[in-house]
Amino acid sequence: MNESNRTSGPPRWLVQGTAPFARALSGRRWFPLWAIVHHRGRRSGTRYSTPVAVVPTESQELILIGLPWGRNTNWARNVVAAGSATLTWKGREHQTTAPRVIEAAEAAALAKPFFRNVIRRFPAAIVLHRS
C-alpha cells in the first residue's frame, strides 16, 4: 500500500524511525509525559505495547491520551473494545477501566491549563479511569 492509499495514521517511515526512541523512554519514572499502553488486538487477540503521550489532567482519577491521528487509531479501538488496559507510566503499572474516545473540546476541559491548547488541536482523545 503506498502513502496515497493510507486513510489515517502516521507515515510508516516515521513510526519505524521513532519507535526505538519512544520505547526506550516511555513508561520511565523520569519521563512522565510518555507511557506504554498494553492491550490486545480486538480480532487477533495479539498482545501489543504502544508508546503514547499522556496529557496531565486536573483529576488524579483520569488518564488522558491525545489521538493526533484520529479516533480510528488501532490501539485506541482495541482498548475501547476491551473495556480496559494496563498502562506503564511513571515507572509503575496502572490498571485502567471505562475507556472512551472524546472530542477535542471535552479533552481540553479535562486537561491542565498549560496543555489545553495542545490537546484542543487533536481530532480526538481517549480518557481512561484509574481503577
Side-chain angles (χ1 to χ4, degrees), residues 5 7 9 11 15 22 26-27 30 37 40 45 47 53 58 76 82 84 87 89 96 99 105-106 112 122-123 125:
N5 290 338
T7 57
V15 172
S26 296
W30 42 268
V37 175
R40 287 187 176 268
R47 291 180 187 218
E58 293 286 344
S84 65
L87 198 74
W89 184 41
T96 64
E106 185 179 352
K112 286 193 174 183
F122 291 173

Side-chain angles (χ1 to χ4, degrees), residues 18-29 31-36 51-55 87-91:
T18 59
F21 176 73
R23 287 194 191 285
L25 296 177
S26 296
R28 306 285 184 206
R29 191 177 93 182
F31 209 79
L33 290 179
W34 283 6
I36 298 176
V52 296
V54 175
V55 178
L87 198 74
T88 303
W89 184 41
K90 296 182 179 180

Side-chain angles (χ1 to χ4, degrees), residues 14 23 37 43 58 65 69 93:
L14 180 62
R23 287 194 191 285
V37 175
R43 292 186 208 141
E58 293 286 344
I65 302 168
W69 309 111
E93 296 286 318

Side-chain angles (χ1 to χ4, degrees), residues 67-111:
L67 298 174
W69 309 111
R71 64 177 48 249
N72 289 326
T73 303
N74 276 325
W75 74 262
R77 292 172 63 196
N78 290 342
V79 170
V80 170
S84 65
T86 303
L87 198 74
T88 303
W89 184 41
K90 296 182 179 180
R92 298 191 342 233
E93 296 286 318
H94 300 269
Q95 298 300 319
T96 64
T97 60
R100 62 188 178 95
V101 176
I102 59 175
E103 298 298 322
E106 185 179 352
L110 295 173

